[in-house]
Amino acid sequence: MKKITTLLYFGKMSFKEKMAYMQSVWFDLLGMLVAICLYFSLWQAVFKNSSEINGFSPKEIVVYVILSQILNNHMSNGINMELSSWIYQGKIDVELMRPISLIENLFGKRMGEFAFFYLAKGLPVFIISMVMLNGEIKTNFWLVIIFVVMLFLAMCITFYFDFLIGLCGFYTMNSYGLKFSKDAILSFLAGGIIPLAFFPEIIQNVLIYLPFASMISVPVNCILGKYTFNQILGYLILQIMWIFILSIISKAIYKRVILKVTVQGG
């Protein structure tokens, strides 16, 4: 119970910290809207003479583009850069002295960022984009609830990936290059650029069981109503399984890395 209270405290502080920089939110909103409009234009050309491609109708691809770009933007803003900067600037020793573990500290902050992002950025961008692009979504209350749960689980999966990338800063002192490579690769494999349904079937069957699909493709396809109840249940179990696996790997590597801490500039 004490750990949960501490995590909520860090989440609350992170949320308040983001609220203090509302001006940057407007630029982020504009950037997401521009990206959505660009991708929408490309898919319009693809669907110009087609009423359905690979199971997607023109209306569904509009919703897919909007949601995938929102999720992709959230996925690319992980904690790896913050962890890397702490190491580079020599602040990591202060963070390690806190009564809460570094992983729990960063996870609490990530929860606050998660809440702030979808309330202050994701939801407004979704509504504006749906109106601008004449989008239409046919879903129900339970699919929306499952979608939100999947988003949270996707955040957990992304967190551990970001944490592993951040740990590289203990060796390289700079993980900017790794961060951008991670964003590009994960965005592609998660379905942030092209829906996984457009990949060859053999590749789809591999990617769908990897953790990347759970970050974007699975939640978006879920709210679009493309899965049966059994499939949804299977993907939820798969997400939880990947969180468990990645958390074990992250903690194991963290324990080894922390014994060899070398701080630059501190």
Side-chain angles (χ1 to χ4, degrees):
M1 188 65 186
K2 187 178 179 181
K3 278 190 176 182
I4 294 175
T5 304
T6 306
L7 287 174
L8 290 174
Y9 170 78
F10 275 101
K12 182 180 176 182
M13 294 304 294
S14 178
F15 190 96
K16 287 184 175 180
E17 182 183 341
K18 294 294 181 183
M19 286 288 290
Y21 298 96
M22 284 302 293
Q23 279 188 330
S24 66
V25 171
W26 301 113
F27 288 102
D28 289 342
L29 290 175
L30 180 61
M32 279 194 281
L33 287 171
V34 170
I36 287 169
C37 289
L38 288 174
Y39 277 98
F40 169 73
S41 300
L42 291 173
W43 284 108
Q44 251 196 333
V46 173
F47 278 84
K48 188 175 182 179
N49 299 312
S50 304
S51 58
E52 183 178 309
I53 301 178
N54 289 23
F56 283 88
S57 67
K59 291 287 186 183
E60 287 177 332
I61 205 68
V62 170
V63 179
Y64 189 95
V65 167
I66 294 170
L67 289 176
S68 65
Q69 287 306 301
I70 292 172
L71 269 61
N72 192 43
N73 188 278
H74 176 247
M75 186 179 72
S76 65
N77 293 310
I79 51 85
N80 53 292
M81 296 310 299
E82 184 170 12
L83 178 55
S84 181
S85 67
W86 284 352
I87 298 167
Y88 183 76
Q89 295 172 15
K91 296 179 181 179
I92 190 65
D93 55 340
V94 177
E95 301 300 328
L96 291 173
M97 290 173 65
R98 294 183 185 276
I100 184 173
S101 76
L102 185 65
I103 296 178
E104 291 170 354
N105 176 355
L106 290 170
F107 186 77
K109 290 185 176 183
R110 190 60 173 143
M111 284 200 305
E113 292 173 358
F114 171 83
F116 178 82
F117 178 89
Y118 285 108
L119 290 175
K121 299 180 184 179
L123 188 58
V125 166
F126 177 75
I127 294 172
I128 294 170
S129 299
M130 289 290 282
V131 173
M132 283 174 51
L133 305 179
N134 194 29
E136 182 182 318
I137 183 169
K138 296 178 181 179
T139 188
N140 58 58
F141 174 76
W142 292 111
L143 283 181
V144 172
I145 295 299
I146 294 169
F147 176 72
V148 173
V149 172
M150 283 186 167
L151 283 188
F152 179 76
L153 295 177
M155 182 273 291
C156 295
I157 293 172
T158 308
F159 168 80
Y160 284 112
F161 266 107
D162 288 335
F163 185 73
L164 288 170
I165 296 295
L167 288 179
C168 294
F170 281 108
Y171 296 101
T172 65
M173 292 299 174
N174 192 316
S175 60
Y176 284 91
L178 285 173
K179 187 264 184 191
F180 292 121
S181 298
K182 179 220 72 171
D183 289 346
I185 294 171
L186 262 59
S187 176
F188 184 74
L189 297 179
I193 299 175
I194 304 172
L196 298 187
F198 286 75
F199 285 77
E201 188 175 352
I202 189 170
I203 297 178
Q204 287 183 49
N205 294 335
V206 174
L207 292 181
I208 200 66
Y209 291 105
L210 296 179
F212 317 117
S214 297
M215 298 174 183
I216 296 177
S217 180
V218 169
V220 176
N221 282 322
C222 174
I223 201 169
L224 286 173
K226 293 192 173 295
Y227 297 141
T228 64
F229 174 79
N230 287 337
Q231 286 177 313
I232 290 173
L233 185 61
Y235 287 132
L236 285 169
I237 293 171
L238 191 63
Q239 281 185 302
I240 294 170
M241 183 193 77
W242 275 115
I243 292 170
F244 179 71
I245 293 171
L246 290 171
S247 66
I248 290 176
I249 294 172
S250 297
K251 290 172 183 176
I253 295 177
Y254 172 69
K255 286 180 180 178
R256 293 192 61 181
V257 166
I258 209 66
L259 297 175
K260 302 179 180 180
V261 175
T262 56
V263 181
Q264 179 174 326

